[in-house]
Amino acid sequence: METAKGKTREEIINRLADRIDSFEKYTPPHSRLLAELAIHLARRFGLPPPDVDAIAEAAMLHDIGLYAMAPAYLSLPRPLSFEARLDLWRHSVIGEQQMAKRDAMRHAQLLVRWHHEWWNGSGYPDMLAFEDIPIGARILRAVELYGALLSDRPYRAALDEPQAIEALTSSAGIECDPYVVKALLALLDELRAGLPPPLPAHVAEAPTKEIQRSPFPEQPVAVEVPSAESSPSAVIAPEHSSGLSYPPPISEADNSTSEPARPLAPSSTSMQALASGALEPNEHPRSEPTRGGPATTEIVSPQPAGRETAHALPCESLLLRAQSIDLANRDSPSWRGWNGSRYNKKKLLGFEASVLRQIEFRSVAIPFWNEPRLDWYLKAWGKLIFANDPRAWAGTVARATVEGSEPLGEDTISRILEDVYVPGVRLANPDLRRWFGESDAWWMDNLRQNIDGLDDQIMRAQALALGFLTGDYALSFNEETRELRRPLTTVFWRLAGRAFAGPVGHPNNRSFNQPAEDFTKHARADLLYLSSPAAHSDRGGAEARSEWRESWATGSASIGMDQGKMLANPPQSKQSYLASIDRLLRLAAHFKTWAVEYQEPGLATAQDIIELIKEYRPVSATYSKDVTEVAGGQRSYIIVGEKKSAR
């Protein structure tokens, strides 16, 4: 079928994907290869055809937002400044908007938004974690990582096939879903088994031919590819620059344009270089642990001219094999072990930051901090932050992120990892055996005791925050994926190398671990940002990991007060849930502005929350973000109430 301009949807998407590849300096058919790999995985996972089509389209156009932004800093052969990174992080949300302009299915739009979300919650724009990330986005993260590793980038040469496979394997449990990585590795084994022998170097350097086949059905759609004469930056309206930039105001309609922080990847054996992010953040070099020092990191240098390499012609060869009929015939639903998303409370950091940017305030108090890195935005905006969470583990994270200004140094990390593998007479916290095997329980127990030996409270909080991530890593594997695991000491070093405090915050930023009602009553700030507690008894994704974190943080299985009690014994009626919110609002009369975040479905509706707020003050604005198109997706609201001015 043809569009009004006489081009099929397939032709338009292929041409646009090739333009995006060329703009990013990827050798075509980069995006088509990602789409083919993603299609095979989706079919083997047993996903229905409409979901496979959405994944394929999102894979082809995953970086359409970057193409629309056309930032000059993209081709720099050096690590980006924080300001440039903050600007770059917008591209996945802009990509979602660009897909909507091209009448792409809503599922595909959201997959483009979330194709940089990391398994451990360190991705962007919304810092979704674990099963909260839709399976299609988890597939895209893995195939895009693999495709990027095989490609030359402005700051490094392409990795050869063994190096790329090792880096992909080591991404499991940190960047990628281990089950998806295992399935992709199995698929790549099949592809390699069917590939011809490597071509001679002089043949491999020949121009690649046009690949005609596309994974898309021919459907009419109102889409137009920018002409060769037009600038890619003309495709969108939002401002951008190589410096710090912010999105335009958002309306009550479903959109957001603010991007969260991007984690940094190691680039040398020193912690300073590890934190600098010389490699692309979604790529991992090979690392091995050393006793008393950081993991040694292999640096990949450009290949000498004329040298025959395993990656001389990977994309075209892999694509041809991936398009073969015999491989497609093997796409039976044989990989059913993936875990789907659940309807538990999920933070949408990009949406929250976009809304907060529209509110005028100099200081903010947050009774429930949770984990996503809102502090990066607030620090960049120069806001004074008072962060609190009644749970011990979340209060610890608040201290590490809000008050911390520098990552931990090598000497400190060496101290807290000393003899961490050596078992003692008995576990100081035997509850760890509820979640971990014996060796992991000893490792976590020893790490906790070593951290207690640190004198500085902020450094102790930062070390505990790294411990939470390391424990989550250990719990990300089962018997089926255990072969992909790396030693926990290696993982801790790698996570420490990526730790990044963001911009320097206000010197009076403070964090607390108090009951939410006590904190709300005594805190003094312009804005109260209340992320309403979950109204669900079903917990999944990041929230499902909170119980072990609380036990490790406190040394027992006790759950923190206030919100912890609500999570353990959630309200069973709308009346009891609204009463808990009402108590907080009555204590918050002294705040000039309220911003209350709520998600549907729940025990109450957003309108119930609005009516509750109106009992105390007028509602000046309501913002929403609807992601209900995907499994586990909910509709998020932020309701702004302004205190009446005294006359």
Side-chain angles (χ1 to χ4, degrees):
M1 299 181 67
E2 295 186 347
T3 66
K5 292 185 176 296
K7 299 184 180 67
T8 66
R9 177 183 180 84
E10 175 182 352
E11 291 172 335
I12 291 172
I13 291 177
N14 283 341
R15 289 181 57 198
L16 181 54
D18 287 345
R19 287 179 182 271
I20 295 171
D21 286 348
S22 178
F23 166 72
E24 293 189 85
K25 296 182 172 55
Y26 282 115
T27 302
H30 171 77
S31 291
R32 302 191 203 187
L33 172 62
L34 303 190
E36 287 289 345
L37 295 176
I39 287 171
H40 286 298
L41 291 179
R43 289 172 177 166
R44 295 178 183 199
F45 287 176
L47 302 184
D51 293 340
V52 176
D53 292 343
I55 291 170
E57 185 167 347
M60 288 285 281
L61 303 179
H62 62 280
D63 273 344
I64 189 172
L66 200 57
Y67 179 69
M69 290 173 64
Y73 51 72
L74 189 63
S75 59
L76 294 177
R78 61 179 183 272
L80 299 180
S81 66
F82 178 79
E83 290 78 12
R85 286 181 180 274
L86 191 63
D87 186 67
L88 179 66
W89 296 331
R90 297 185 300 131
H91 88 271
S92 57
V93 170
I94 292 175
E96 176 194 9
Q97 296 167 348
Q98 289 294 301
M99 294 290 282
K101 290 179 181 179
R102 286 160 175 75
D103 294 333
M105 61 188 83
R106 181 61 178 148
H107 187 185
Q109 296 173 28
L110 290 174
L111 294 182
V112 168
R113 177 186 181 93
W114 289 327
H115 77 279
H116 275 291
E117 298 291 350
W118 281 31
W119 176 254
N120 72 352
S122 298
Y124 63 90
D126 294 316
M127 286 195 167
L128 300 178
F130 311 112
E131 296 85 4
D132 286 348
I133 307 170
I135 186 60
R138 284 180 255 162
I139 290 173
L140 294 185
R141 182 70 255 126
V143 299
E144 189 192 9
L145 169 61
Y146 177 71
L149 292 169
L150 289 178
S151 303
D152 289 324
R153 308 309 300 137
Y155 40 81
R156 60 137 180 89
L159 276 66
D160 61 28
E161 180 69 10
Q163 291 172 324
I165 292 299
E166 169 60 23
L168 174 63
T169 302
S170 67
S171 76
I174 297 179
E175 181 172 351
C176 300
D177 180 347
Y179 189 82
V180 174
V181 170
K182 183 170 182 177
L184 177 56
L185 291 172
L187 173 61
L188 294 174
D189 284 342
E190 294 181 38
L191 290 173
R192 285 193 297 273
L195 289 176
L199 297 174
H202 70 281
V203 177
E205 292 170 359
T208 59
K209 65 180 181 180
E210 178 72 13
I211 304 299
Q212 299 297 331
R213 181 180 177 275
S214 171
F216 303 102
E218 296 186 2
Q219 306 176 38
V221 64
V223 176
E224 183 174 357
V225 179
S227 66
E229 294 79 16
S230 65
S231 168
S233 60
V235 179
I236 64 167
E239 299 180 16
H240 66 272
S241 68
S242 59
L244 188 63
S245 63
Y246 302 108
I250 65 174
S251 67
E252 296 181 19
D254 171 24
N255 65 66
S256 65
T257 52
S258 197
E259 307 300 336
R262 184 169 183 167
L264 304 179
S267 61
S268 82
T269 57
S270 72
M271 293 299 294
Q272 180 180 2
L274 283 169
S276 69
L279 289 179
E280 193 170 43
N282 62 356
E283 300 177 17
H284 304 304
R286 295 192 289 176
S287 300
E288 298 297 336
T290 58
R291 298 286 292 189
T296 57
T297 305
E298 179 175 332
I299 306 301
V300 181
S301 301
Q303 297 289 349
R307 177 180 173 184
E308 181 177 326
T309 67
H311 65 272
L313 192 62
C315 287
E316 182 174 319
S317 298
L318 287 172
L319 179 62
L320 291 173
R321 177 57 183 158
Q323 292 174 331
S324 66
I325 300 300
D326 60 323
L327 187 64
N329 289 337
R330 302 176 67 176
D331 286 343
S332 60
S334 54
W335 289 80
R336 299 280 196 166
W338 56 275
N339 294 319
S341 301
R342 300 164 69 180
Y343 286 92
N344 60 286
K345 184 177 175 64
K346 304 174 180 66
K347 302 288 287 183
L348 294 177
L349 179 61
F351 170 60
E352 293 177 349
S354 293
V355 173
L356 289 178
R357 188 58 183 165
Q358 318 311 315
I359 301 173
E360 183 178 347
F361 66 99
R362 292 176 298 177
S363 56
V364 58
I366 307 176
F368 298 109
W369 179 248
N370 293 307
E371 193 173 5
R373 296 300 304 265
L374 186 59
D375 65 289
W376 264 315
Y377 287 104
L378 297 173
K379 288 179 179 178
W381 299 337
K383 308 301 183 182
L384 175 60
I385 308 169
F386 300 108
N388 175 74
D389 202 287
R391 297 166 297 178
W393 77 264
T396 298
V397 171
R399 170 164 285 178
T401 56
V402 172
E403 298 187 42
S405 58
E406 295 181 0
L408 296 177
E410 294 182 23
D411 292 341
T412 301
I413 296 175
S414 296
R415 282 180 56 195
I416 61 180
L417 292 177
E418 186 176 358
D419 295 330
V420 75
Y421 279 111
V422 180
V425 177
R426 62 177 178 271
L427 290 168
N429 183 3
D431 285 326
L432 292 174
R433 291 300 304 272
R434 294 173 53 192
W435 302 281
F436 299 98
E438 183 173 357
S439 61
D440 288 348
W442 276 114
W443 194 95
M444 296 298 299
D445 200 55
N446 289 335
L447 180 70
R448 182 69 177 84
Q449 294 182 66
N450 289 350
I451 291 173
D452 285 342
L454 298 177
D455 296 328
D456 185 89
Q457 291 186 352
I458 295 178
M459 292 173 60
R460 189 158 59 241
Q462 291 174 313
L464 287 169
L466 290 172
F468 296 143
L469 291 174
T470 307
D472 286 340
Y473 173 88
L475 295 175
S476 295
F477 298 87
N478 54 28
E479 291 301 323
E480 193 169 6
T481 57
R482 188 172 297 277
E483 65 195 65
L484 305 178
R485 262 193 53 158
R486 296 295 187 259
L488 296 188
T489 299
T490 301
V491 172
F492 192 95
W493 273 111
R494 292 178 62 200
L495 293 170
R498 293 185 178 88
F500 185 56
V504 177
H506 195 287
N508 293 325
N509 285 347
R510 293 294 180 268
S511 62
F512 303 89
N513 178 217
Q514 300 176 353
E517 293 181 6
D518 291 349
F519 172 80
T520 303
K521 180 179 180 180
H522 297 291
R524 293 295 181 268
D526 300 326
L527 172 67
L528 173 75
Y529 182 61
L530 176 61
S531 180
S532 57
H536 304 276
S537 58
D538 179 30
R539 290 186 291 155
E543 195 56 57
R545 274 74 172 176
S546 62
E547 188 176 0
W548 89 260
R549 288 182 167 207
E550 191 71 6
S551 174
W552 192 66
T554 61
S556 69
S558 61
I559 302 296
M561 299 177 291
D562 206 358
Q563 189 180 28
K565 291 181 180 179
M566 181 171 285
L567 292 171
N569 301 291
Q572 298 300 300
S573 68
K574 176 192 292 188
Q575 182 179 6
S576 61
Y577 182 78
L578 291 176
S580 67
I581 304 298
D582 182 68
R583 285 194 300 271
L584 288 171
L585 295 182
R586 280 191 283 109
L587 295 170
H590 55 284
F591 289 94
K592 176 184 176 182
T593 306
W594 295 345
V596 181
E597 180 267 342
Y598 184 72
Q599 289 185 343
E600 289 182 341
L603 285 175
T605 66
Q607 188 60 39
D608 292 327
I609 304 297
I610 291 173
E611 294 302 323
L612 183 60
I613 294 173
K614 285 182 176 179
E615 293 181 11
Y616 297 97
R617 58 179 60 185
V619 170
S620 59
T622 298
Y623 302 88
S624 68
K625 179 69 181 177
D626 188 358
V627 297
T628 56
E629 184 72 19
V630 296
Q634 298 171 295
R635 189 177 186 101
S636 294
Y637 295 86
I638 297 180
I639 306 152
V640 180
E642 298 284 351
K643 189 176 182 179
K644 291 182 178 180
S645 301
R647 294 181 181 273

